[in-house]
Amino acid sequence: MTVLSAGAEPGGKARLRALLPGGESLSSVYGFQHGAALRHGVRFEFGVQAAAAGVLALRPDAVVLATGAAMVAPDWLPADLREAGLVPDLRTAMAELARHHRPQPGVAVLYDFDHTEGTYSAAVRLRQLFERVVLVTPLPAIARDTSLVTRQGIVRRFAEHGIEVLASHDLVLGSAFDDGVVTAVHVYTRAPTAIADVALLAYATPRAPDETLWAALAPQVPVQRIGDCRSARGVQAATSEGQLAALAI
Ligand SMILES: Cc1cc2nc3c(=O)[nH]c(=O)nc-3n(C[C@H](O)[C@H](O)[C@H](O)COP(=O)(O)OP(=O)(O)OC[C@H]3O[C@@H](n4cnc5c(N)ncnc54)[C@H](O)[C@@H]3O)c2cc1C
C-alpha cells in the first residue's frame, strides 16, 4: 500500500489542531497510526500533490481518498479579497501563525459560523499573539455545536483571556477595510459596530469536502472516501474510517 500526502508529515489538519491550546494529546493519535502503518509495510510519500493521472499510473486495485475538506468562504467576503488571500480561513491563518511566537500589534477578528471546539482553541491562541481578539458570530451565542460542559469551559476561557464576543452580528467589508477597519452589524437591528486597527481577519465556516480527485478517479477505479472528504466531521471519525479501510484492504 502506498500513501501519497501533500503534507510534509503525517497527521493532516489534526497536526494543526494539535498545535492549538487543548489539542496536545491529538499528536499521539496520528503518531500511533503512522507507526502501525509502517510496521505493516505501508510506504509513505510526503510532499506529493496527487493528481488523477499519477494515481492511475500506479495501477491501483483500489484507492482510498482522504483529501479532507475546506472552509467555505462567507457571503460577506468579496471575490477579489478571497482570491488575493487577504482574508484567510481559520485553518490557513493558524498554519501561517504557527511560525510566530512574539505578540503582534493590532486586533484579530474571527468570524465564527463553525461553532466547534477547535475554533475557540484557535481564538485563545490568537489572544496569545494579538493585543485584542474579537469573535463575531451571527448566532445568538458561541459554541452551539459543543456539549454543555465543553461550552462552559470555552465561555470561562474566553472570560479569562479577555476575548470579546459580538453575538448576533454579521460582517460588512467596505472600503474602510483598506485602513484596517471592519464593521460588524447586528443581524436584527443592523446597528453597526466599527472595529479599528484590524491586523487579522479570518473566518471559520462549515467545511465542504474536496471532491476533485474523487470525481476524476471514481469512473476508472474503485474509490472509497474516508474522513472529511466523505463528510466533514472530526478527527475521531476520520481516524476510525481510515483504520477500517486500511484493515479491509
Ligand atoms: C482549525 C480546525 C480545528 C479543528 N478542531 C477539531 C477538534 O477540536 N476536534 C475534532 O475532532 N476535529 C477538529 N477539526 C477537524 C479535524 O481536523 C478534521 O476532521 C480531520 O483532520 C479530518 O481528517 P482527514 O484526514 O479527513 O482530512 P485532513 O486532516 O484535512 O487531511 C487531508 C490531507 O489530504 C491532503 N491532500 C488533499 N488533497 C491532496 C492531494 N491531491 N494529494 C495529496 N494530498 C492531498 C491535505 O494536504 C491534508 O494533509 C478541526 C479542523 C480545523 C480546520
Side-chain angles (χ1 to χ4, degrees):
M1 182 190 283
T2 301
V3 174
L4 305 176
S5 172
E9 296 167 290
K13 305 306 178 304
R15 173 169 286 279
L16 173 62
R17 177 66 185 91
L19 295 174
L20 300 177
E24 296 81 0
S25 59
L26 264 182
S27 60
S28 61
V29 175
Y30 52 77
F32 171 82
Q33 296 289 342
H34 183 226
L38 287 175
R39 280 196 302 280
H40 286 82
V42 177
R43 191 165 61 91
F44 285 83
E45 288 186 27
F46 294 111
V48 177
Q49 186 71 29
V55 174
L56 292 172
L58 293 170
R59 304 179 64 81
D61 298 311
V63 176
V64 177
L65 279 186
T67 46
M71 288 177 168
V72 177
D75 290 346
W76 50 259
L77 181 59
D80 55 338
L81 287 183
R82 191 186 322 161
E83 280 153 23
L86 291 176
V87 181
D89 65 62
L90 185 60
R91 182 186 60 186
T92 306
M94 298 317 294
E96 284 170 9
L97 286 168
R99 296 191 304 270
H100 296 267
H101 300 288
R102 291 209 183 124
Q104 316 274 313
V107 183
V109 176
L110 173 53
Y111 177 80
D112 171 29
F113 205 7
D114 170 64
H115 282 252
T116 64
E117 201 182 346
T119 291
Y120 305 105
S121 298
V124 171
R125 175 72 188 126
L126 288 174
R127 184 62 188 87
Q128 292 166 351
L129 290 173
F130 290 89
E131 290 169 17
R132 200 179 149 209
V133 172
V134 182
L135 184 139
V136 178
T137 179
L139 298 187
I142 60 169
R144 296 283 287 243
D145 269 1
T146 62
S147 68
L148 175 63
V149 174
T150 303
R151 193 179 314 143
Q152 284 171 331
I154 291 166
V155 170
R156 176 176 54 75
R157 284 192 289 280
F158 267 42
E160 287 168 354
H161 291 278
I163 298 170
E164 300 162 50
V165 175
L166 277 175
S168 297
H169 278 73
D170 235 318
L171 285 181
V172 176
L173 286 197
S175 53
F177 184 56
D178 293 342
D179 301 319
V181 178
V182 166
T183 303
V185 289
H186 196 280
V187 293
Y188 297 122
T189 66
R190 309 307 290 170
T193 301
I195 308 166
D197 204 16
V198 173
L200 172 76
L201 171 60
Y203 59 85
T205 50
R207 287 166 283 148
D210 181 343
E211 295 182 327
T212 322
L213 268 183
W214 180 75
L217 292 172
Q220 312 202 48
V221 65
V223 183
Q224 184 181 355
R225 286 182 291 174
I226 59 164
D228 277 17
C229 89
R230 177 170 160 199
S231 167
R233 287 151 296 160
V235 168
Q236 203 176 348
T239 308
S240 67
E241 280 175 10
Q243 174 144 8
L244 288 176
L247 288 175
I249 287 172

